[in-house]
Amino acid sequence: MRWQLSALILFVISFLVISCANDQDIEFKRAYSAGEVVYTQHCQNCHGNNGEGLSALMPPLTDSVYLKQNKTQLACIIKFGLKDKLVIVSGKPYQNQMPPADLAPIEISQVLTYVKNSFGNKMGVVKVEDVNKDLGDCK
Amino acid sequence: MRNLFYALICVLALSACNNSASQKMLPIYGNREASTKTVDGKTVTDTIYQTIPKFNFINQYGDSISNKSLDGNIYVADFFFTTCPSICPVMHRNMLNVYKEFKNVGNFKIVSYTIDPKHDSVDVLKKYADKLGVTGNNWLFLQGQKEETYKLAKGYMVEAREGNVHDGYFILVDKQKRIRGSYLGTDPAEVTKMIADIKTLQAEPDQNIAQ
């Protein structure tokens, strides 16, 4: 009897602990860890393990101001790449070609969540609905 | 007890001898053949090692660079192209550390051959070097005929072929143009080992003879 009781108490406590972590937090963590996988496969070679970029060839991903100012463009840049376009990141010019990455909107939202919350950035989760909206407005 | 003590002394003395006798040498890679000659009535056998074949390419400044231009240098070679999105940025991120380490050391060079000469003109290579932060003549970006480049890659014992296919090895070449090491350029740990090996090679007596 005593054994059953303590098992029940343990179950109740663990249930409480799990439900304490709220849904938003779980959603963020899920997107972040999935985004890390996408980043490793599609972005890391050029932009580096720590988003540091490569000299004046590849821009770093550490410029929160750039990420904020170009918020609605980021999904388009990832999906279609960049060609002959000058971008100013952390006050430095970059004009290298960026190849398009054939990613689904959900993957784009995941990798953006990862980038925007790594390398010193802290900008919260990127929702797939927003990515879909931004992709519809690509120039 | 006393016997044990003497035994210990013996072992220590032996190991001390071993340490001082074995100076670290890098291996010599590639095919080798024996050449037997008669010098002053005596038969002498020499080992002929595989060496890097002749080439004549153009660097990022538009100057002609041949195998002769590299005489008297220890150098590291790799094959790449500037628009490569996969392993090249990683290779050159790591190579940049090698460049910085030996920037002020004479008789050392880095040689990167483009396997896409159609796109990678002298002008494109110069811009690439500038953006990478490479100045001077320590790191050469070379452009030559495509077929010549593929053939030369075989001389370095690496792969480069049609469709911009190449592997990511850094090849360490000594002053006698023999291959002394190959390192996966995409792995920072291997590149760190290469930096150590270059220093070992520089210390070899053979490498200090004026060529």
Side-chain angles (χ1 to χ4, degrees):
Chain A
M1 192 61 197
R2 173 173 278 187
W3 178 83
Q4 277 173 326
L5 191 71
S6 48
L8 186 73
I9 290 171
L10 195 70
F11 176 76
V12 168
I13 288 174
S14 55
F15 183 79
L16 280 174
V17 165
I18 288 168
S19 48
C20 269
N22 61 45
D23 286 351
Q24 260 185 329
D25 202 33
I26 289 172
E27 189 196 330
F28 169 78
K29 279 178 181 152
R30 197 178 284 152
Y32 183 88
S33 52
E36 188 174 6
V37 176
V38 178
Y39 183 83
T40 312
Q41 285 174 350
H42 295 271
C43 321
Q44 188 169 285
N45 282 352
C46 290
H47 291 291
N49 296 3
N50 303 306
E52 75 273 24
L54 176 58
S55 298
L57 282 170
M58 321 289 186
L61 303 175
T62 51
D63 183 358
S64 295
V65 178
Y66 179 89
L67 294 176
K68 216 167 268 171
Q69 282 174 347
N70 296 276
K71 197 177 164 210
T72 55
Q73 291 300 309
L74 298 176
C76 298
I77 294 175
I78 291 171
K79 174 131 184 151
F80 298 107
L82 285 174
K83 205 178 177 184
D84 298 325
K85 197 176 178 298
L86 181 78
V87 292
I88 309 286
V89 183
S90 301
K92 288 188 189 139
Y94 295 88
Q95 205 170 8
N96 232 24
Q97 195 176 325
M98 170 164 159
D102 192 20
L103 293 174
I106 181 78
E107 291 173 303
I108 294 177
S109 72
Q110 288 162 345
V111 78
L112 278 175
T113 301
Y114 177 71
V115 169
K116 285 184 164 187
N117 295 282
S118 306
F119 323 135
N121 303 315
K122 204 159 178 59
M123 303 165 78
V125 73
V126 176
K127 290 199 171 73
V128 67
E129 298 89 58
D130 294 334
V131 168
N132 273 322
K133 191 176 156 292
D134 292 344
L135 286 177
D137 298 335
C138 283
K139 283 170 209 144
Chain B
M1 192 60 200
R2 179 167 279 190
N3 280 344
L4 198 68
F5 178 73
Y6 285 134
L8 192 71
I9 295 275
C10 282
V11 168
L12 280 177
L14 275 175
S15 61
C17 280
N18 279 343
N19 276 346
S20 58
S22 68
Q23 206 195 358
K24 214 184 150 198
M25 290 266 283
L26 298 183
I28 300 171
Y29 292 101
N31 296 322
R32 58 187 69 182
E33 40 190 90
S35 128
T36 313
K37 280 186 292 189
T38 313
V39 183
D40 299 334
K42 279 183 205 157
T43 319
V44 182
T45 305
D46 256 348
T47 313
I48 309 287
Y49 292 98
Q50 179 176 333
T51 53
I52 302 302
K54 283 181 189 159
F55 65 88
N56 199 348
F57 285 8
I58 293 174
N59 72 3
Q60 73 265 38
Y61 305 110
D63 301 329
S64 169
I65 298 288
S66 72
N67 51 307
K68 278 233 169 358
S69 328
L70 297 168
D71 280 357
N73 284 287
I74 289 169
Y75 72 96
V76 173
D78 72 353
F79 291 80
F80 85 113
F81 59 108
T82 60
T83 50
C84 156
S86 52
I87 59 172
C88 307
V90 185
M91 287 164 66
H92 283 177
R93 180 179 288 118
N94 293 333
M95 192 69 104
L96 212 47
N97 291 335
V98 182
Y99 171 73
K100 283 176 192 156
E101 180 77 31
F102 297 103
K103 205 176 173 182
N104 301 314
V105 176
N107 303 336
F108 176 79
K109 293 211 184 308
I110 299 169
V111 179
S112 292
Y113 297 93
T114 175
I115 57 163
D116 184 14
K118 199 174 160 194
H119 177 270
D120 292 344
S121 60
V122 167
D123 197 37
V124 170
L125 290 177
K126 174 74 168 61
K127 276 195 186 126
Y128 181 82
D130 286 348
K131 285 184 178 173
L132 202 57
V134 173
T135 53
N137 280 306
N138 273 15
W139 190 344
L140 301 170
F141 296 87
L142 300 189
Q143 190 245 32
Q145 296 253 325
K146 209 183 204 176
E147 294 307 322
E148 290 292 312
T149 312
Y150 294 163
K151 237 197 313 188
L152 189 62
K154 286 204 178 72
Y156 282 101
M157 303 199 292
V158 294
E159 179 80 35
R161 58 188 149 89
E162 203 60 53
N164 288 342
V165 180
H166 66 111
D167 53 26
Y169 285 98
F170 293 166
I171 307 299
L172 178 58
V173 180
D174 69 12
K175 289 186 182 175
Q176 288 78 24
K177 303 199 191 297
R178 301 172 300 190
I179 296 173
R180 302 300 295 273
S182 90
Y183 311 84
L184 200 56
T186 47
D187 182 352
E190 288 214 13
V191 177
T192 307
K193 182 176 181 299
M194 183 176 81
I195 291 175
D197 281 359
I198 292 169
K199 289 175 182 166
T200 306
L201 184 57
Q202 283 172 329
E204 280 184 18
D206 260 12
Q207 301 301 309
N208 292 320
I209 302 164
Q211 299 298 308

